[in-house]
Amino acid sequence: IATDYYGPEKEGEPARIRAYASFDRDRVTDGAGFDQLDEGYFAVLIDQGQDMRPYQGITPIAGGSLTACAEAYFAQSEQLPTRFELSFGKSSEPGVEEHWRGGGVMLQHMPKASPSVSGEGGSGDDGLLAAEDLVHGDDEENWNRVNILLSSVEEMELIGPSVPPTELLVRLFHEEQPRVYDAQSVQFGCTCSEDRVRQSLSIYSAKDIEKMTNDDQASSDFDLNPDITLPAGRALRDAGVLMLIEEGAEGPFVYLTKRASHLKHHPGQIAFPGGKTDPADTDQIDTALREANEEIGLPRTHVKVLGQLASHETVTGFQVKPVVGLLTRPFDPILERAEVEELFRVPLHHVLNPQNFSVEGRVWNGVTR
């Protein structure tokens, strides 16, 4: 599970957020979600920008929820008493289509000086520090009081939109005379862009790029066996595949699938999402987007088509046109198990590096190919 938050680049602009969750659908049960997490860590990474040293904090997964993990992180790593109250649900507003909403409050005790903790270990799971281990005397009384006030919040108040966040803070803590600032708008966003993908491709010469994109440089499964003479006028069936690129913190990635092991043709092979062109498809771009939606649950609206690579003829009689697309927002993969066994990502620079490829031969019909 990963969530990226980007602060506003300019005053008045919205902040941006995106999230991604990967899971094995076949292993998910109706039990509590947190109980189905495997081993791992709860990590917070802060990139303060160019020429600034990144910050990283890590705490164990413990406490029964990701909320508890976040509270343990602030207690353990920052020694700041922190409380989260979160909720989500479907919103049904008059004249608006039903949709999901989420909301929450983060409560934190800011120290007057550098915090210190006496003794060894804390009262949390596995001896982790908890908020109550960090406050004493008047601070403890104040902390307990505002927590009681926060516990009175209702889910509908958190989720909204009938109660704006600024009004909710006044409702909960009016006795504390809170100073309430204007809300900071947040929308989906990421650092992905067509420019960044083009920058990743800039390491290749114009000749290399022309070879990848020019149909005059079309390739085939027979290129390594020049002694094979293909019949003139042969009929090829059209097919389209999607080379889906996602921009990540460490550079762009490309999505690949592993074909189901029980298939009669090409079982277990690594492939791009795609397939043969149907009569209803307008072109091979339409084919690639349709097949990607059917095979891995990728919505068309989440892809920006950047172009097409040179066509490739297969030994099975298909003319495949690879479509290059940029993933513009996260999606929840839904695999068509009859065709796809696994979906995974590989760094784009790895698959574009010729040194990572090798040529092997096999004996077929008495001849090495």
Side-chain angles (χ1 to χ4, degrees), residues 68 71-76 79-82 117 121-125 127-135 143:
E71 293 171 348
Y73 160 76
F74 281 104
Q76 191 75 21
Q79 296 193 2
L80 292 175
T82 306
V117 180
S123 59
D125 286 2
L128 293 173
L129 291 173
E132 53 267 26
D133 300 321
L134 305 172
V135 287
W143 178 251

Side-chain angles (χ1 to χ4, degrees), residues 171-236:
R171 279 192 185 186
L172 291 172
F173 305 112
H174 64 276
E175 295 181 356
E176 311 298 318
Q177 299 180 338
R179 180 181 300 174
V180 180
Y181 297 90
D182 292 336
Q184 168 66 60
S185 61
V186 180
Q187 66 183 29
F188 170 81
C190 63
T191 59
C192 51
S193 69
E194 184 175 341
D195 289 339
R196 293 195 66 175
V197 174
R198 291 184 182 278
Q199 183 179 2
S200 299
L201 295 173
S202 66
I203 62 175
Y204 299 95
S205 66
K207 183 178 180 180
D208 289 336
I209 294 177
E210 181 182 6
K211 185 175 181 180
M212 287 188 283
T213 58
N214 190 343
D215 246 354
D216 292 339
Q217 301 292 335
S219 59
S220 81
D221 288 349
F222 306 98
D223 289 349
L224 298 179
N225 298 279
D227 57 306
I228 296 180
T229 302
L230 297 176
R234 61 192 181 281
L236 299 176

Side-chain angles (χ1 to χ4, degrees), residues 1 27 33-42 58-62 66 69:
I1 302 174
R27 296 176 60 187
F34 187 83
D35 295 340
Q36 299 179 61
L37 291 179
D38 208 335
E39 297 179 0
Y41 295 93
F42 184 92
I58 295 177
T59 191
I61 291 180
L66 292 179
C69 290

Side-chain angles (χ1 to χ4, degrees), residues 101 103-105 157-172 180-184:
R101 290 182 62 92
V105 174
E157 291 178 314
L158 285 173
I159 296 172
S162 56
V163 180
T166 50
E167 182 179 332
L168 175 60
L169 293 176
V170 174
R171 279 192 185 186
L172 291 172
V180 180
Y181 297 90
D182 292 336
Q184 168 66 60

Side-chain angles (χ1 to χ4, degrees), residues 11 26-27 51 68 74-75 96 102 141 164 192 292 305 344 348 359 361:
E11 186 175 354
D26 293 338
R27 296 176 60 187
D51 300 325
F74 281 104
V96 180
E141 181 180 343
C192 51
V305 175
F344 60 96
L348 181 61
V359 177

Side-chain angles (χ1 to χ4, degrees), residues 248-317:
E250 300 177 356
F253 290 82
V254 61
Y255 278 86
L256 294 169
T257 66
K258 179 182 179 183
R259 288 173 57 83
S261 301
H262 65 267
L263 292 174
K264 181 179 180 181
H265 300 293
H266 313 295
Q269 282 191 357
I270 304 302
F272 292 120
K276 64 182 180 180
T277 299
D278 285 349
D281 295 337
T282 57
D283 52 27
Q284 286 156 304
I285 294 178
D286 195 26
T287 299
L289 295 177
R290 174 184 56 78
E291 287 281 349
N293 177 258
E294 295 174 359
E295 290 184 4
I296 63 175
L298 174 66
R300 290 172 176 254
T301 54
H302 290 36
V303 182
K304 179 179 180 181
V305 175
L306 302 181
Q308 294 178 273
L309 301 181
S311 60
H312 180 85
E313 180 180 343
T314 71
V315 69
T316 51

